[in-house]
Amino acid sequence: MAKHDYPYRKSINITAWILQILVCIVLLAASAWLLWFVEQQDLDTILGDYNGLFTASAGLQIAITGLNIVIDIIEIILISKKRMPPELFLASACIKTAIWGIIFTLDVIAQSVLSCILTIILLVTSLIQLVHAAIIVHRKRRGTLRGGNYAPAVNPQGLEEGVHAQPVPGYYYPPPTNTEYKSPAPSPPPPQQYGYPAGDAYAPQVPAGSFELDSRARNV
């Protein structure tokens, strides 16, 4: 599995995970206690036809809070191991935001103040993670995100304008090529080749751009 070392902000995720897990544990314990209370007490005369609906809603809340805790644990493991793709992180944040948005709406309709306070914490933290994940995915698609085995390319326009880009890890920079013009003609041999010492005024002068053949200088 490829590594995805993306800039997931700890200040956002750790705060969201702690609040979500704590609130989910409170809701999970409250729902379990309500189910136990209904089993121990005969509330058919009080709840009437709503007894089954009350039990089903408590069981559904247990399942939803348990699902949120499982999603948080998966996020913690994958991000800590650098195995979390941004698309998966965005999908998990969307699921949590949608779930707690629906439950918060139902709690507002039911005018349950305590449930509204707890679910709004879950909704806000999920929404913050959703925005954070959306920003990461957007930057990844635009190619401006560092991490995840991705290295941005050098800006050709900046190079043309004389602005040298900083080296980026993982990007191959070819060595600079020498554009100095060199003549294909061989360079004249030094005077020592003719048996004359260097600087001798009587040494034969070979014109530039010529070569020696049979002790005679010939032009190229």
Short mmCIF file of all heavy atoms in Angstrom, two decimals, residues 96-161:
data_model
loop_
_atom_site.label_atom_id
_atom_site.label_comp_id
_atom_site.label_asym_id
_atom_site.label_seq_id
_atom_site.Cartn_x
_atom_site.Cartn_y
_atom_site.Cartn_z
N LYS A 96 -19.76 11.19 8.28
CA LYS A 96 -20.03 11.67 9.64
C LYS A 96 -20.85 12.96 9.65
O LYS A 96 -21.76 13.13 10.48
CB LYS A 96 -18.70 11.87 10.39
CG LYS A 96 -17.96 10.58 10.67
CD LYS A 96 -16.77 10.80 11.59
CE LYS A 96 -15.69 11.61 10.94
NZ LYS A 96 -14.47 11.71 11.81
N THR A 97 -20.54 13.86 8.73
CA THR A 97 -21.28 15.12 8.67
C THR A 97 -22.74 14.89 8.30
O THR A 97 -23.66 15.50 8.89
CB THR A 97 -20.63 16.07 7.65
OG1 THR A 97 -19.26 16.28 8.01
CG2 THR A 97 -21.34 17.42 7.63
N ALA A 98 -22.97 14.00 7.34
CA ALA A 98 -24.35 13.71 6.93
C ALA A 98 -25.14 13.05 8.06
O ALA A 98 -26.30 13.41 8.32
CB ALA A 98 -24.34 12.82 5.69
N ILE A 99 -24.52 12.09 8.74
CA ILE A 99 -25.22 11.39 9.83
C ILE A 99 -25.60 12.34 10.95
O ILE A 99 -26.77 12.41 11.39
CB ILE A 99 -24.35 10.24 10.36
CG1 ILE A 99 -24.25 9.13 9.31
CG2 ILE A 99 -24.93 9.68 11.66
CD1 ILE A 99 -23.30 8.01 9.69
N TRP A 100 -24.64 13.11 11.44
CA TRP A 100 -24.92 13.98 12.58
C TRP A 100 -25.73 15.19 12.18
O TRP A 100 -26.42 15.79 13.02
CB TRP A 100 -23.62 14.39 13.25
CG TRP A 100 -22.90 13.23 13.84
CD1 TRP A 100 -21.66 12.77 13.52
CD2 TRP A 100 -23.39 12.35 14.86
NE1 TRP A 100 -21.35 11.67 14.25
CE2 TRP A 100 -22.39 11.38 15.09
CE3 TRP A 100 -24.57 12.27 15.58
CZ2 TRP A 100 -22.54 10.37 16.01
CZ3 TRP A 100 -24.72 11.25 16.50
CH2 TRP A 100 -23.72 10.30 16.72
N GLY A 101 -25.70 15.57 10.91
CA GLY A 101 -26.59 16.63 10.46
C GLY A 101 -28.05 16.20 10.51
O GLY A 101 -28.93 16.97 10.94
N ILE A 102 -28.32 14.95 10.10
CA ILE A 102 -29.70 14.42 10.15
C ILE A 102 -30.16 14.27 11.59
O ILE A 102 -31.29 14.66 11.95
CB ILE A 102 -29.77 13.09 9.40
CG1 ILE A 102 -29.50 13.31 7.90
CG2 ILE A 102 -31.13 12.43 9.60
CD1 ILE A 102 -29.38 12.02 7.10
N ILE A 103 -29.28 13.72 12.44
CA ILE A 103 -29.67 13.51 13.84
C ILE A 103 -29.88 14.86 14.55
O ILE A 103 -30.80 14.99 15.38
CB ILE A 103 -28.60 12.66 14.55
CG1 ILE A 103 -28.57 11.26 13.95
CG2 ILE A 103 -28.89 12.59 16.05
CD1 ILE A 103 -27.54 10.36 14.57
N PHE A 104 -29.04 15.85 14.25
CA PHE A 104 -29.23 17.16 14.87
C PHE A 104 -30.56 17.77 14.45
O PHE A 104 -31.26 18.39 15.27
CB PHE A 104 -28.07 18.07 14.48
CG PHE A 104 -28.22 19.47 14.99
CD1 PHE A 104 -28.05 19.76 16.33
CD2 PHE A 104 -28.55 20.52 14.12
CE1 PHE A 104 -28.20 21.06 16.80
CE2 PHE A 104 -28.69 21.81 14.59
CZ PHE A 104 -28.51 22.08 15.93
N THR A 105 -30.93 17.60 13.19
CA THR A 105 -32.23 18.12 12.73
C THR A 105 -33.38 17.44 13.46
O THR A 105 -34.35 18.10 13.88
CB THR A 105 -32.36 17.90 11.22
OG1 THR A 105 -31.25 18.53 10.55
CG2 THR A 105 -33.65 18.51 10.70
N LEU A 106 -33.28 16.13 13.65
CA LEU A 106 -34.33 15.39 14.37
C LEU A 106 -34.39 15.83 15.84
O LEU A 106 -35.49 15.93 16.42
CB LEU A 106 -34.08 13.89 14.28
CG LEU A 106 -34.18 13.29 12.86
CD1 LEU A 106 -33.81 11.80 12.89
CD2 LEU A 106 -35.58 13.48 12.29
N ASP A 107 -33.23 16.08 16.45
CA ASP A 107 -33.23 16.53 17.85
C ASP A 107 -33.83 17.93 17.99
O ASP A 107 -34.51 18.22 18.98
CB ASP A 107 -31.80 16.53 18.40
CG ASP A 107 -31.25 15.12 18.57
OD1 ASP A 107 -32.06 14.18 18.69
OD2 ASP A 107 -30.01 14.96 18.57
N VAL A 108 -33.60 18.78 16.99
CA VAL A 108 -34.22 20.11 17.02
C VAL A 108 -35.73 20.00 16.90
O VAL A 108 -36.48 20.70 17.60
CB VAL A 108 -33.64 21.00 15.90
CG1 VAL A 108 -34.42 22.29 15.78
CG2 VAL A 108 -32.16 21.29 16.17
N ILE A 109 -36.19 19.11 16.03
CA ILE A 109 -37.64 18.91 15.89
C ILE A 109 -38.24 18.36 17.18
O ILE A 109 -39.32 18.76 17.61
CB ILE A 109 -37.93 17.98 14.70
CG1 ILE A 109 -37.49 18.64 13.39
CG2 ILE A 109 -39.40 17.61 14.64
CD1 ILE A 109 -37.61 17.74 12.18
N ALA A 110 -37.50 17.43 17.81
CA ALA A 110 -37.98 16.85 19.07
C ALA A 110 -37.79 17.76 20.26
O ALA A 110 -38.26 17.46 21.36
CB ALA A 110 -37.27 15.52 19.32
N GLN A 111 -37.08 18.88 20.08
CA GLN A 111 -36.82 19.85 21.14
C GLN A 111 -36.13 19.23 22.34
O GLN A 111 -36.44 19.49 23.50
CB GLN A 111 -38.14 20.52 21.58
CG GLN A 111 -38.81 21.32 20.48
CD GLN A 111 -40.09 21.98 20.92
OE1 GLN A 111 -40.53 21.79 22.06
NE2 GLN A 111 -40.70 22.76 20.05
N SER A 112 -35.13 18.39 22.01
CA SER A 112 -34.33 17.78 23.06
C SER A 112 -33.06 18.60 23.23
O SER A 112 -32.14 18.54 22.39
CB SER A 112 -33.99 16.33 22.68
OG SER A 112 -33.15 15.74 23.64
N VAL A 113 -33.00 19.39 24.29
CA VAL A 113 -31.90 20.34 24.47
C VAL A 113 -30.58 19.60 24.67
O VAL A 113 -29.56 19.93 24.03
CB VAL A 113 -32.19 21.26 25.66
CG1 VAL A 113 -31.02 22.23 25.86
CG2 VAL A 113 -33.49 22.02 25.44
N LEU A 114 -30.54 18.60 25.54
CA LEU A 114 -29.30 17.89 25.81
C LEU A 114 -28.78 17.16 24.57
O LEU A 114 -27.58 17.20 24.26
CB LEU A 114 -29.51 16.90 26.96
CG LEU A 114 -28.27 16.09 27.39
CD1 LEU A 114 -27.16 17.03 27.83
CD2 LEU A 114 -28.63 15.11 28.50
N SER A 115 -29.68 16.53 23.84
CA SER A 115 -29.27 15.84 22.62
C SER A 115 -28.77 16.83 21.57
O SER A 115 -27.82 16.54 20.84
CB SER A 115 -30.43 15.02 22.07
OG SER A 115 -30.81 14.01 22.97
N CYS A 116 -29.40 17.99 21.49
CA CYS A 116 -28.94 19.02 20.54
C CYS A 116 -27.53 19.48 20.87
O CYS A 116 -26.71 19.68 19.95
CB CYS A 116 -29.91 20.20 20.56
SG CYS A 116 -31.50 19.89 19.76
N ILE A 117 -27.24 19.66 22.15
CA ILE A 117 -25.90 20.11 22.53
C ILE A 117 -24.85 19.07 22.17
O ILE A 117 -23.77 19.39 21.64
CB ILE A 117 -25.86 20.43 24.04
CG1 ILE A 117 -26.77 21.62 24.36
CG2 ILE A 117 -24.43 20.70 24.50
CD1 ILE A 117 -26.90 21.91 25.84
N LEU A 118 -25.16 17.81 22.44
CA LEU A 118 -24.19 16.74 22.14
C LEU A 118 -24.01 16.54 20.64
O LEU A 118 -22.88 16.40 20.15
CB LEU A 118 -24.63 15.44 22.81
CG LEU A 118 -24.64 15.44 24.36
CD1 LEU A 118 -25.18 14.13 24.89
CD2 LEU A 118 -23.24 15.71 24.89
N THR A 119 -25.12 16.52 19.92
CA THR A 119 -25.01 16.28 18.48
C THR A 119 -24.42 17.46 17.72
O THR A 119 -23.78 17.27 16.68
CB THR A 119 -26.39 15.93 17.90
OG1 THR A 119 -27.33 16.96 18.25
CG2 THR A 119 -26.87 14.60 18.40
N ILE A 120 -24.60 18.68 18.23
CA ILE A 120 -24.01 19.82 17.53
C ILE A 120 -22.48 19.80 17.66
O ILE A 120 -21.76 20.25 16.75
CB ILE A 120 -24.59 21.16 18.05
CG1 ILE A 120 -24.31 22.27 17.03
CG2 ILE A 120 -24.00 21.51 19.41
CD1 ILE A 120 -24.99 23.58 17.38
N ILE A 121 -21.99 19.25 18.77
CA ILE A 121 -20.53 19.09 18.90
C ILE A 121 -20.02 18.12 17.84
O ILE A 121 -19.01 18.36 17.16
CB ILE A 121 -20.16 18.60 20.32
CG1 ILE A 121 -20.52 19.66 21.36
CG2 ILE A 121 -18.68 18.24 20.39
CD1 ILE A 121 -20.32 19.21 22.79
N LEU A 122 -20.74 17.01 17.67
CA LEU A 122 -20.35 16.03 16.65
C LEU A 122 -20.48 16.61 15.24
O LEU A 122 -19.64 16.35 14.37
CB LEU A 122 -21.21 14.78 16.79
CG LEU A 122 -21.05 14.00 18.10
CD1 LEU A 122 -22.12 12.93 18.23
CD2 LEU A 122 -19.67 13.37 18.17
N LEU A 123 -21.52 17.39 15.01
CA LEU A 123 -21.74 17.96 13.68
C LEU A 123 -20.66 18.99 13.34
O LEU A 123 -20.11 18.99 12.22
CB LEU A 123 -23.12 18.61 13.61
CG LEU A 123 -23.48 19.34 12.31
CD1 LEU A 123 -23.42 18.38 11.13
CD2 LEU A 123 -24.85 20.00 12.42
N VAL A 124 -20.32 19.86 14.29
CA VAL A 124 -19.33 20.91 14.01
C VAL A 124 -17.94 20.31 13.78
O VAL A 124 -17.22 20.70 12.85
CB VAL A 124 -19.30 21.93 15.17
CG1 VAL A 124 -18.13 22.89 15.03
CG2 VAL A 124 -20.61 22.70 15.21
N THR A 125 -17.54 19.36 14.62
CA THR A 125 -16.23 18.74 14.45
C THR A 125 -16.15 17.96 13.14
O THR A 125 -15.11 17.98 12.45
CB THR A 125 -15.91 17.81 15.62
OG1 THR A 125 -17.00 16.87 15.80
CG2 THR A 125 -15.73 18.60 16.90
N SER A 126 -17.23 17.29 12.76
CA SER A 126 -17.23 16.58 11.48
C SER A 126 -17.19 17.55 10.31
O SER A 126 -16.52 17.29 9.29
CB SER A 126 -18.48 15.70 11.37
OG SER A 126 -18.52 14.73 12.40
N LEU A 127 -17.88 18.68 10.45
CA LEU A 127 -17.88 19.68 9.39
C LEU A 127 -16.49 20.32 9.23
O LEU A 127 -16.05 20.59 8.10
CB LEU A 127 -18.92 20.75 9.69
CG LEU A 127 -19.18 21.79 8.60
CD1 LEU A 127 -19.65 21.12 7.32
CD2 LEU A 127 -20.21 22.82 9.07
N ILE A 128 -15.79 20.54 10.33
CA ILE A 128 -14.43 21.09 10.25
C ILE A 128 -13.51 20.11 9.54
O ILE A 128 -12.69 20.50 8.69
CB ILE A 128 -13.91 21.43 11.66
CG1 ILE A 128 -14.70 22.60 12.25
CG2 ILE A 128 -12.42 21.76 11.62
CD1 ILE A 128 -14.34 22.91 13.69
N GLN A 129 -13.62 18.83 9.86
CA GLN A 129 -12.82 17.82 9.16
C GLN A 129 -13.18 17.76 7.68
O GLN A 129 -12.31 17.54 6.83
CB GLN A 129 -13.02 16.45 9.80
CG GLN A 129 -12.26 16.26 11.11
CD GLN A 129 -12.34 14.82 11.60
OE1 GLN A 129 -13.42 14.25 11.70
NE2 GLN A 129 -11.20 14.25 11.90
N LEU A 130 -14.46 17.95 7.37
CA LEU A 130 -14.89 17.93 5.97
C LEU A 130 -14.25 19.07 5.19
O LEU A 130 -13.77 18.87 4.07
CB LEU A 130 -16.42 18.03 5.91
CG LEU A 130 -17.04 18.14 4.52
CD1 LEU A 130 -16.72 16.91 3.68
CD2 LEU A 130 -18.54 18.34 4.63
N VAL A 131 -14.23 20.26 5.76
CA VAL A 131 -13.62 21.41 5.08
C VAL A 131 -12.12 21.18 4.91
O VAL A 131 -11.54 21.45 3.85
CB VAL A 131 -13.90 22.70 5.87
CG1 VAL A 131 -13.13 23.87 5.26
CG2 VAL A 131 -15.39 22.99 5.89
N HIS A 132 -11.48 20.66 5.95
CA HIS A 132 -10.03 20.39 5.88
C HIS A 132 -9.72 19.36 4.80
O HIS A 132 -8.77 19.52 4.01
CB HIS A 132 -9.55 19.91 7.25
CG HIS A 132 -8.11 19.54 7.29
ND1 HIS A 132 -7.11 20.36 6.80
CD2 HIS A 132 -7.48 18.43 7.78
CE1 HIS A 132 -5.92 19.77 6.97
NE2 HIS A 132 -6.13 18.61 7.55
N ALA A 133 -10.51 18.29 4.73
CA ALA A 133 -10.29 17.26 3.72
C ALA A 133 -10.56 17.79 2.32
O ALA A 133 -9.85 17.45 1.36
CB ALA A 133 -11.19 16.05 4.01
N ALA A 134 -11.60 18.63 2.17
CA ALA A 134 -11.91 19.21 0.86
C ALA A 134 -10.77 20.10 0.37
O ALA A 134 -10.45 20.12 -0.83
CB ALA A 134 -13.21 19.99 0.93
N ILE A 135 -10.15 20.86 1.26
CA ILE A 135 -9.02 21.72 0.87
C ILE A 135 -7.85 20.87 0.39
O ILE A 135 -7.20 21.18 -0.62
CB ILE A 135 -8.61 22.62 2.04
CG1 ILE A 135 -9.72 23.64 2.34
CG2 ILE A 135 -7.30 23.33 1.75
CD1 ILE A 135 -9.46 24.48 3.58
N ILE A 136 -7.56 19.77 1.09
CA ILE A 136 -6.45 18.91 0.71
C ILE A 136 -6.71 18.28 -0.66
O ILE A 136 -5.82 18.24 -1.53
CB ILE A 136 -6.22 17.82 1.78
CG1 ILE A 136 -5.71 18.46 3.07
CG2 ILE A 136 -5.23 16.77 1.28
CD1 ILE A 136 -5.50 17.48 4.19
N VAL A 137 -7.92 17.77 -0.88
CA VAL A 137 -8.25 17.15 -2.17
C VAL A 137 -8.19 18.18 -3.29
O VAL A 137 -7.69 17.91 -4.39
CB VAL A 137 -9.64 16.49 -2.10
CG1 VAL A 137 -10.09 16.02 -3.47
CG2 VAL A 137 -9.61 15.32 -1.13
N HIS A 138 -8.67 19.39 -3.03
CA HIS A 138 -8.65 20.45 -4.05
C HIS A 138 -7.21 20.82 -4.43
O HIS A 138 -6.89 20.96 -5.61
CB HIS A 138 -9.39 21.67 -3.54
CG HIS A 138 -9.40 22.82 -4.49
ND1 HIS A 138 -10.05 22.79 -5.71
CD2 HIS A 138 -8.81 24.05 -4.41
CE1 HIS A 138 -9.87 23.94 -6.34
NE2 HIS A 138 -9.12 24.72 -5.57
N ARG A 139 -6.35 20.95 -3.43
CA ARG A 139 -4.95 21.29 -3.72
C ARG A 139 -4.24 20.14 -4.43
O ARG A 139 -3.36 20.38 -5.27
CB ARG A 139 -4.23 21.63 -2.41
CG ARG A 139 -4.68 22.95 -1.81
CD ARG A 139 -3.94 23.23 -0.51
NE ARG A 139 -4.33 24.52 0.05
CZ ARG A 139 -3.89 24.98 1.23
NH1 ARG A 139 -3.05 24.25 1.94
NH2 ARG A 139 -4.29 26.16 1.67
N LYS A 140 -4.60 18.93 -4.09
CA LYS A 140 -3.99 17.79 -4.77
C LYS A 140 -4.36 17.77 -6.25
O LYS A 140 -3.52 17.50 -7.12
CB LYS A 140 -4.42 16.48 -4.10
CG LYS A 140 -3.83 15.25 -4.76
CD LYS A 140 -4.38 13.98 -4.15
CE LYS A 140 -3.85 12.76 -4.90
NZ LYS A 140 -4.42 11.50 -4.38
N ARG A 141 -5.61 18.05 -6.56
CA ARG A 141 -6.04 18.05 -7.96
C ARG A 141 -5.41 19.20 -8.75
O ARG A 141 -5.16 19.06 -9.95
CB ARG A 141 -7.56 18.13 -8.02
CG ARG A 141 -8.26 16.86 -7.54
CD ARG A 141 -9.76 17.00 -7.59
NE ARG A 141 -10.42 15.75 -7.18
CZ ARG A 141 -11.75 15.62 -7.05
NH1 ARG A 141 -12.54 16.66 -7.32
NH2 ARG A 141 -12.26 14.47 -6.67
N ARG A 142 -5.16 20.31 -8.10
CA ARG A 142 -4.53 21.44 -8.78
C ARG A 142 -3.02 21.29 -8.89
O ARG A 142 -2.37 22.03 -9.61
CB ARG A 142 -4.85 22.74 -8.04
CG ARG A 142 -6.31 23.15 -8.09
CD ARG A 142 -6.52 24.52 -7.50
NE ARG A 142 -5.74 25.53 -8.21
CZ ARG A 142 -5.66 26.80 -7.83
NH1 ARG A 142 -6.29 27.21 -6.73
NH2 ARG A 142 -4.95 27.67 -8.52
N GLY A 143 -2.47 20.33 -8.16
CA GLY A 143 -1.03 20.10 -8.22
C GLY A 143 -0.22 21.02 -7.34
O GLY A 143 0.98 21.16 -7.55
N THR A 144 -0.83 21.64 -6.34
CA THR A 144 -0.12 22.56 -5.45
C THR A 144 0.09 21.95 -4.07
O THR A 144 0.47 22.67 -3.15
CB THR A 144 -0.91 23.86 -5.29
OG1 THR A 144 -2.22 23.57 -4.78
CG2 THR A 144 -1.03 24.57 -6.63
N LEU A 145 -0.14 20.66 -3.93
CA LEU A 145 -0.04 20.01 -2.63
C LEU A 145 1.26 19.23 -2.57
O LEU A 145 1.59 18.47 -3.48
CB LEU A 145 -1.22 19.07 -2.40
CG LEU A 145 -1.27 18.35 -1.05
CD1 LEU A 145 -1.48 19.35 0.08
CD2 LEU A 145 -2.39 17.32 -1.03
N ARG A 146 2.01 19.42 -1.49
CA ARG A 146 3.24 18.66 -1.27
C ARG A 146 2.93 17.45 -0.42
O ARG A 146 2.20 17.53 0.54
CB ARG A 146 4.30 19.52 -0.57
CG ARG A 146 4.77 20.69 -1.39
CD ARG A 146 5.82 21.48 -0.62
NE ARG A 146 6.26 22.63 -1.38
CZ ARG A 146 7.28 22.60 -2.22
NH1 ARG A 146 7.95 21.48 -2.41
NH2 ARG A 146 7.64 23.67 -2.89
N GLY A 147 3.54 16.31 -0.77
CA GLY A 147 3.33 15.09 -0.01
C GLY A 147 2.68 14.02 -0.86
O GLY A 147 2.22 14.26 -1.97
N GLY A 148 2.63 12.81 -0.32
CA GLY A 148 1.99 11.72 -1.02
C GLY A 148 2.73 11.29 -2.27
O GLY A 148 2.13 11.00 -3.30
N ASN A 149 4.08 11.23 -2.20
CA ASN A 149 4.91 10.84 -3.34
C ASN A 149 4.71 11.77 -4.53
O ASN A 149 4.80 11.35 -5.67
CB ASN A 149 4.61 9.39 -3.77
CG ASN A 149 4.93 8.41 -2.67
OD1 ASN A 149 5.84 8.63 -1.89
ND2 ASN A 149 4.19 7.33 -2.61
N TYR A 150 4.41 13.02 -4.25
CA TYR A 150 4.16 13.99 -5.32
C TYR A 150 5.19 15.09 -5.23
O TYR A 150 5.46 15.60 -4.15
CB TYR A 150 2.75 14.57 -5.20
CG TYR A 150 2.49 15.73 -6.14
CD1 TYR A 150 2.19 15.50 -7.47
CD2 TYR A 150 2.57 17.05 -5.68
CE1 TYR A 150 1.96 16.56 -8.33
CE2 TYR A 150 2.33 18.11 -6.55
CZ TYR A 150 2.03 17.85 -7.87
OH TYR A 150 1.80 18.90 -8.72
N ALA A 151 5.78 15.47 -6.36
CA ALA A 151 6.75 16.56 -6.38
C ALA A 151 6.33 17.54 -7.45
O ALA A 151 6.20 17.17 -8.62
CB ALA A 151 8.15 16.02 -6.70
N PRO A 152 6.06 18.78 -7.11
CA PRO A 152 5.64 19.75 -8.11
C PRO A 152 6.75 20.03 -9.11
O PRO A 152 7.93 20.02 -8.76
CB PRO A 152 5.31 21.00 -7.27
CG PRO A 152 6.06 20.81 -6.01
CD PRO A 152 6.14 19.34 -5.76
N ALA A 153 6.37 20.29 -10.35
CA ALA A 153 7.34 20.55 -11.40
C ALA A 153 7.89 21.96 -11.27
O ALA A 153 7.29 22.83 -10.65
CB ALA A 153 6.68 20.35 -12.76
N VAL A 154 9.05 22.16 -11.89
CA VAL A 154 9.67 23.48 -11.87
C VAL A 154 8.91 24.40 -12.79
O VAL A 154 8.46 23.99 -13.87
CB VAL A 154 11.14 23.36 -12.31
CG1 VAL A 154 11.81 24.73 -12.33
CG2 VAL A 154 11.88 22.42 -11.40
N ASN A 155 8.75 25.64 -12.39
CA ASN A 155 8.01 26.60 -13.18
C ASN A 155 8.86 27.06 -14.35
O ASN A 155 9.86 27.75 -14.16
CB ASN A 155 7.64 27.81 -12.30
CG ASN A 155 6.80 28.82 -13.06
OD1 ASN A 155 6.33 28.55 -14.16
ND2 ASN A 155 6.61 29.98 -12.47
N PRO A 156 8.48 26.69 -15.59
CA PRO A 156 9.31 27.11 -16.72
C PRO A 156 9.33 28.62 -16.90
O PRO A 156 10.33 29.19 -17.29
CB PRO A 156 8.63 26.43 -17.92
CG PRO A 156 7.74 25.39 -17.34
CD PRO A 156 7.36 25.89 -15.98
N GLN A 157 8.23 29.28 -16.61
CA GLN A 157 8.17 30.73 -16.77
C GLN A 157 9.13 31.42 -15.82
O GLN A 157 9.81 32.37 -16.16
CB GLN A 157 6.74 31.22 -16.51
CG GLN A 157 6.58 32.73 -16.73
CD GLN A 157 5.14 33.16 -16.51
OE1 GLN A 157 4.30 32.33 -16.18
NE2 GLN A 157 4.89 34.42 -16.69
N GLY A 158 9.20 30.90 -14.59
CA GLY A 158 10.14 31.46 -13.63
C GLY A 158 11.58 31.28 -14.06
O GLY A 158 12.42 32.15 -13.87
N LEU A 159 11.88 30.14 -14.72
CA LEU A 159 13.23 29.92 -15.19
C LEU A 159 13.57 30.85 -16.34
O LEU A 159 14.69 31.32 -16.47
CB LEU A 159 13.40 28.46 -15.61
CG LEU A 159 13.29 27.43 -14.49
CD1 LEU A 159 13.44 26.04 -15.06
CD2 LEU A 159 14.35 27.67 -13.42
N GLU A 160 12.59 31.12 -17.22
CA GLU A 160 12.84 32.01 -18.34
C GLU A 160 13.09 33.44 -17.86
O GLU A 160 13.84 34.19 -18.47
CB GLU A 160 11.65 32.00 -19.30
CG GLU A 160 11.50 30.67 -20.03
CD GLU A 160 10.26 30.66 -20.90
OE1 GLU A 160 9.57 31.68 -20.90
OE2 GLU A 160 10.01 29.65 -21.57
N GLU A 161 12.44 33.81 -16.77
CA GLU A 161 12.61 35.16 -16.26
C GLU A 161 13.85 35.29 -15.39
O GLU A 161 14.11 36.35 -14.85
CB GLU A 161 11.38 35.56 -15.43
CG GLU A 161 10.10 35.65 -16.28
CD GLU A 161 8.90 35.91 -15.41
OE1 GLU A 161 9.06 35.90 -14.18
OE2 GLU A 161 7.80 36.12 -15.96
#
